Amino acid sequence: MSKLIKPAGYKALLDLWQTEQGIKLIKEFFQQNLSTELRLRRVTAPLFVLKGLGINDDLNGVERPVSFPIKDLGDQMAEVVHSLAKWKRLTLAEYNIDPGYGIYTDMNAIRADEELDNLHSLYVDQWDWEMVISREERTLDFLRSVVRRIYSAILRTEFLACETYPQLKPFLPREIHFIHSEELLKMYPGMTAKEREDAVCKKYGAVFIMGIGGKLSDGEKHDGRAPDYDDWTTPNSDGFLGLNGDILIWYPVLDRSIELSSMGIRVDKEALLRQLALEGQEQRAELFFHKQLLEGKLPLSIGGGIGQSRLCMIMLQKAHIGEIQASIWPDEQRRECKENGMNLI
């Protein structure tokens, strides 16, 4: 397994029972902190949605959703969600949530096309959240303020984990650094996007990379984004395009950067039409979700997802996500992990 990172001399700092207790502690503590920071109410979310409504998240546009026919609906097809980016915005409207408040939920997904390694599993679990905002809050300053509040909840969770298990030592910086993907390109010319992420995260420890989805000055995207949830084309106050981004941290256990969250201010009518046109997907404007948005039936919002297993992995200083969650792994990867101190659940 060439993509598997095998840290030299790695030994888990917590045994299996401590790990299970730590997972419970972190999940309960962090979601309560996230809810308090952003004034989010918990809601129940679907595992699957009907195909053809435009509700499922298209991620980078190439991943295949797991689908199945529903007998009692005349074999109409359902899709296991990739994430709940668009479903949450429909729910904000249905629950008539006031500006300044929002929702969060436990999102569970199956991503059959993932390349399995230390960070990627077939099973995805994250806290999906969405908050209603005003037109005036569709700004870079507001986006930054929300990122800082989320990062403060992450820092408090790290403190709790290290206080509970003294063998764990804190490594996250007190502040998160902000940079646009175009600035990052200029800072590290000649590097790939992943190499740029590693370089900037190693320098600052925790980074929010903004403006992900559109083409940069070299004609390439920093990373792909579907055109119908994050707003990656509206100019921000720094003179760049994009009101979205990713939270990444430098993880010394694996000696690499790790993305913990993808988030952003969501598209309004103008941004949706612009981004659909840029991606050649104008036909999606006829889908249920997109019609609701274009007809002004959905509130303006900001939202994102925060990986549950990934957060537990870094807080408990594990080397493989399979030490946190039960999933399916190739036999060779399981063997290699065991030989290198990574005991997969």
Side-chain angles (χ1 to χ4, degrees):
M1 312 305 297
S2 60
K3 296 192 69 174
L4 183 68
I5 300 173
K6 296 172 279 190
Y10 171 75
K11 187 180 187 324
L13 298 177
L14 305 182
D15 63 26
L16 285 174
W17 279 117
Q18 289 175 316
T19 298
E20 293 287 5
Q21 292 167 345
I23 292 170
K24 180 175 183 292
L25 177 74
I26 290 164
K27 287 191 174 186
E28 290 179 348
F29 182 82
F30 179 79
Q31 69 179 337
Q32 185 60 52
N33 272 261
L34 180 69
S35 172
T36 302
E37 278 285 355
L38 300 182
R39 296 193 291 188
L40 307 175
R41 299 155 178 155
R42 191 189 183 283
V43 297
T44 300
L47 177 60
F48 39 79
V49 294
L50 286 174
K51 183 178 180 178
L53 297 180
I55 298 175
N56 204 358
D57 180 359
D58 294 312
L59 301 178
N60 293 313
V62 297
E63 295 87 351
R64 301 169 299 167
V66 175
S67 59
F68 59 92
I70 304 172
K71 179 181 177 182
D72 274 5
L73 293 181
D75 281 345
Q76 189 171 351
M77 296 298 293
E79 295 178 342
V80 176
V81 297
H82 275 145
S83 85
L84 299 169
K86 297 193 280 282
W87 176 88
K88 291 177 296 181
R89 200 163 173 184
L90 292 167
T91 302
L92 289 177
E94 182 180 356
Y95 285 33
N96 196 28
I97 303 292
D98 293 326
Y101 294 86
I103 59 173
Y104 80 95
T105 190
D106 288 293
M107 191 284 296
N108 297 287
I110 301 172
R111 296 182 182 172
D113 289 337
E114 287 284 16
E115 295 185 17
L116 308 181
D117 56 24
N118 301 70
L119 299 177
H120 297 91
S121 169
L122 299 174
Y123 170 62
V124 179
D125 56 341
Q126 64 185 36
W127 291 286
D128 252 325
W129 64 273
E130 199 84 9
M131 179 170 60
V132 178
I133 62 175
S134 66
R135 172 66 62 178
E136 293 70 32
E137 288 173 323
R138 298 189 81 255
T139 66
L140 182 59
D141 284 344
F142 183 75
L143 174 64
R144 284 172 168 156
S145 73
V146 173
V147 171
R148 289 190 181 99
R149 286 149 68 185
I150 293 172
Y151 188 67
S152 70
I154 292 173
L155 287 180
R156 286 195 294 273
T157 306
E158 182 189 49
F159 176 77
L160 175 67
C162 293
E163 286 292 291
T164 305
Y165 304 105
Q167 60 268 51
L168 302 175
K169 304 302 179 186
F171 61 89
L172 293 174
R174 294 182 63 86
E175 303 291 337
I176 187 167
H177 180 76
F178 293 85
I179 189 168
H180 192 276
S181 54
E182 181 66 33
E183 293 177 285
L184 194 58
L185 175 62
K186 296 292 191 294
M187 185 183 297
Y188 301 109
M191 289 187 179
T192 66
K194 183 65 187 69
E195 289 169 344
R196 296 195 295 269
E197 289 180 354
D198 283 345
V200 75
C201 284
K202 190 169 187 177
K203 181 177 182 178
Y204 293 106
V207 183
F208 185 69
I209 301 176
M210 299 172 287
I212 296 179
K215 290 183 179 180
L216 304 177
S217 59
D218 64 352
E220 300 293 329
K221 298 179 179 181
H222 182 84
D223 199 359
R225 283 294 184 277
D228 46 15
Y229 55 98
D230 280 355
D231 184 341
W232 38 264
T233 54
T234 294
N236 65 47
S237 58
D238 282 351
F240 295 105
L241 295 179
L243 293 171
N244 73 328
D246 290 344
I247 296 175
L248 298 100
I249 58 99
W250 180 254
Y251 190 45
V253 175
L254 296 180
D255 198 33
R256 59 158 291 173
S257 62
I258 291 183
E259 177 192 323
L260 294 181
S261 175
S262 174
M263 58 173 287
I265 291 172
R266 307 308 199 186
V267 291
D268 57 9
K269 177 181 178 179
E270 292 73 25
L272 174 64
L273 292 174
R274 182 170 58 246
Q275 292 178 186
L276 288 177
L278 282 171
E279 297 297 300
Q281 296 185 25
E282 293 93 335
Q283 74 281 0
R284 294 187 68 81
E286 298 302 314
L287 297 174
F288 171 75
F289 169 83
H290 303 72
K291 282 185 175 180
Q292 294 287 299
L293 177 54
L294 293 172
E295 292 171 5
K297 297 179 180 178
L298 303 181
L300 299 174
S301 67
I302 182 174
I306 302 166
Q308 294 188 17
S309 290
R310 280 200 188 179
L311 185 69
C312 291
M313 176 183 167
I314 69 161
M315 292 298 163
L316 301 179
Q317 298 178 19
K318 302 289 188 176
H320 197 290
I321 200 165
E323 297 178 85
I324 297 296
Q325 57 162 248
S327 187
I328 297 173
W329 308 97
D331 289 341
E332 184 181 353
Q333 187 165 144
R334 279 193 173 273
R335 179 186 58 78
E336 283 193 273
C337 286
K338 188 173 182 179
E339 290 173 354
N340 289 274
M342 296 174 275
N343 295 311
L344 306 189
I345 295 176

